[in-house]
């Protein structure tokens, strides 16, 4: 996807936002906590699932815009490990919606050179969902454009536990007992064993619907991320709201604990 394809489709107000963006200082990785589907529906006296349905449309718009802007990676928090506590009918609906989305959008994703991956304990998802995900990841594995990462049955503490165990397992397999006794874990070893290994850390975390929390999302990876919280509910998060979040990001001074602003993002 190209920016040149984005511009003609922008409304006047979107264009005004777009023109203020510095294309050289876009985040490399945007992560999104898509919150507020339920409240969006409630305010309209609609069933919660209608909010989720509209949430999918918002996700589609964000995916398309990020890809066209040339953002390297987009991670969407679609289903947390805690979301199993919701009523079974809502969980089933979310799973169905995800399958529907994958079936409908996969050809578009592939055509646009986007590479799909999933983070989280996918093995605990219903088999049909797993199969659709696997098909999508396989089809798009060689694509070189934007990385679209969907967090499903994801929890950051679980991810860290899985990473530590993977480090231990790998070391146990390759080291003698003496070496194990002196083993020191490094930051790099942990990063390399996270579900997101190989991806740059998000430099922008967006959360919709106003809550000032990170909700067990990418705890390790967002160490230096700029956080943009908007009161907008996820189904209303459109292209203009995304451009505003990117402008907010570009207005921040990123120092990574130093004194001078960092020269790169
Ligand atoms: C939060 O709303 C949203 C979710 C639980 C995630 C579901 C996300 C979608 C349906 C978007 C689709 C994404 C993809 C990748 C196709 P909530 O129910 O927590 O809202 P509330 O806090 O107002 O109750």
């Amino acid at each position: 996807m190209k920016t040149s394809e984005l511009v003609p489709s922008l409304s006047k107000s979107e264009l005004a936002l777009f023109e203020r963006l510095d294309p050289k200082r876009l985040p490399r990785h945007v992560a999104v906590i898509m919150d507020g589907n339920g409240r969006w529906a409630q305010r309209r006296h609609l069933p919660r699932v209608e909010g989720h349905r509209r949430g999918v449309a918002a996700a589609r718009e964000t995916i398309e815009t990020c890809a066209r802007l040339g953002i390297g990676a987009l991670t969407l928090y679609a289903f947390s490990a805690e979301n199993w506590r919701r009523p079974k009918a809502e969980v089933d609906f979310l799973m169905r919606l995800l399958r529907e989305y994958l079936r409908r959008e996969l050809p578009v994703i592939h055509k646009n050179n986007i590479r799909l991956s999933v983070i989280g304990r996918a093995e605990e998802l219903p088999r049909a969902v797993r199969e659709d995900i696997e098909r999508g990841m396989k089809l798009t594995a060689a694509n070189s454009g934007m990385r679209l990462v969907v967090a499903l049955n994801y929890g950051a503490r679980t991810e860290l536990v899985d990473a530590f165990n993977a480090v231990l397992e790998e070391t146990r397999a390759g080291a003698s007992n003496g070496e194990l006794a002196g083993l020191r874990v490094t930051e790099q070893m942990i990063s390399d064993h996270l579900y997101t290994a190989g991806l740059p850390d998000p430099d922008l975390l967006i959360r919709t619907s106003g809550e000032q929390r990170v909700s067990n999302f990418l705890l390790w990876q967002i160490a230096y991320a700029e956080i943009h919280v908007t009161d907008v509910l996820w189904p209303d998060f459109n292209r203009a709201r995304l451009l505003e979040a990117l402008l907010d990001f570009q207005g921040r001074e990123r120092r990574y604990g130093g004194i001078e602003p960092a020269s790169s993002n």
Side-chain angles (χ1 to χ4, degrees):
M1 291 194 193
K2 296 191 192 71
T3 319
S4 57
E5 291 169 24
L6 179 66
V7 175
S9 67
L10 295 177
S11 69
K12 223 169 148 186
S13 56
E14 288 166 349
L15 190 63
L17 291 166
F18 173 77
E19 281 174 344
R20 284 167 53 206
L21 266 187
D22 176 352
K24 289 193 287 300
R25 290 196 308 118
L26 286 169
R28 290 198 299 162
H29 183 172
V30 176
V32 189
I33 301 176
M34 310 180 285
D35 195 13
N37 292 350
R39 272 162 284 175
W40 183 93
Q42 206 172 21
R43 283 181 198 174
R44 286 162 180 77
H45 307 287
L46 294 168
R48 287 178 58 81
V49 292
E50 202 45 48
H52 294 317
R53 209 185 279 289
R54 292 295 290 260
V56 174
R60 190 185 191 283
E61 190 164 325
T62 291
I63 294 164
E64 182 188 344
T65 310
C66 285
R68 289 190 175 186
L69 287 170
I71 286 171
L74 172 68
T75 299
L76 300 176
Y77 203 0
F79 192 86
S80 77
E82 290 77 28
N83 283 155
W84 297 110
R85 293 189 204 132
R86 296 186 176 208
K88 186 175 181 305
E90 184 173 337
V91 170
D92 289 349
F93 185 86
L94 282 169
M95 294 297 154
R96 256 205 322 278
L97 210 55
L98 187 79
R99 293 192 64 204
E100 225 176 86
Y101 169 80
L102 283 174
R103 280 167 185 252
R104 203 179 46 234
E105 297 294 325
L106 199 58
V108 185
I109 288 177
H110 187 42
K111 191 174 131 251
N112 287 291
N113 196 25
I114 296 171
R115 179 173 159 198
L116 174 74
S117 34
V118 167
I119 56 169
R121 285 195 174 161
E123 65 277 13
E124 292 166 5
L125 293 167
R127 192 162 56 90
V129 178
R130 259 181 3 241
E131 284 171 359
D132 284 352
I133 292 169
E134 270 153 30
R135 185 172 328 113
M137 296 205 309
K138 215 162 142 188
L139 177 72
T140 62
N143 288 349
S144 58
M146 187 177 83
R147 297 284 307 266
L148 171 60
V149 183
V150 183
L152 276 177
N153 192 24
Y154 174 87
R157 288 187 172 182
T158 309
E159 177 182 31
L160 284 163
V161 169
D162 286 350
F164 294 148
N165 280 320
V167 169
L168 278 176
E169 231 165 81
E170 213 176 273
T171 319
R172 272 194 210 113
S176 67
N177 274 348
E179 280 167 332
L180 265 187
L183 172 70
R184 310 272 306 167
V185 174
T186 64
E187 286 194 9
Q188 192 61 48
M189 283 158 90
I190 296 169
S191 294
D192 288 347
H193 291 83
L194 294 172
Y195 306 149
T196 52
L199 283 168
D201 286 341
D203 16 39
L204 171 62
L205 172 69
I206 298 172
R207 178 163 191 148
T208 58
S209 95
E211 245 84 56
Q212 315 259 348
R213 295 194 278 273
V214 290
S215 298
N216 201 17
F217 189 44
L218 303 175
L219 296 182
W220 177 279
Q221 298 90 329
I222 59 167
Y224 293 103
E226 296 297 330
I227 303 182
H228 173 87
V229 177
T230 168
D231 286 334
V232 171
L233 303 176
W234 177 250
D236 290 328
F237 191 84
N238 56 22
R239 198 150 55 179
R241 303 291 85 80
L242 174 65
L243 293 170
E244 280 167 3
L246 295 171
L247 283 167
D248 181 21
F249 169 80
Q250 292 192 339
R252 309 276 180 97
E253 210 175 72
R254 309 196 70 208
R255 295 200 303 232
Y256 301 94
I259 301 170
E260 301 294 327
S263 56
S264 72
N265 285 324

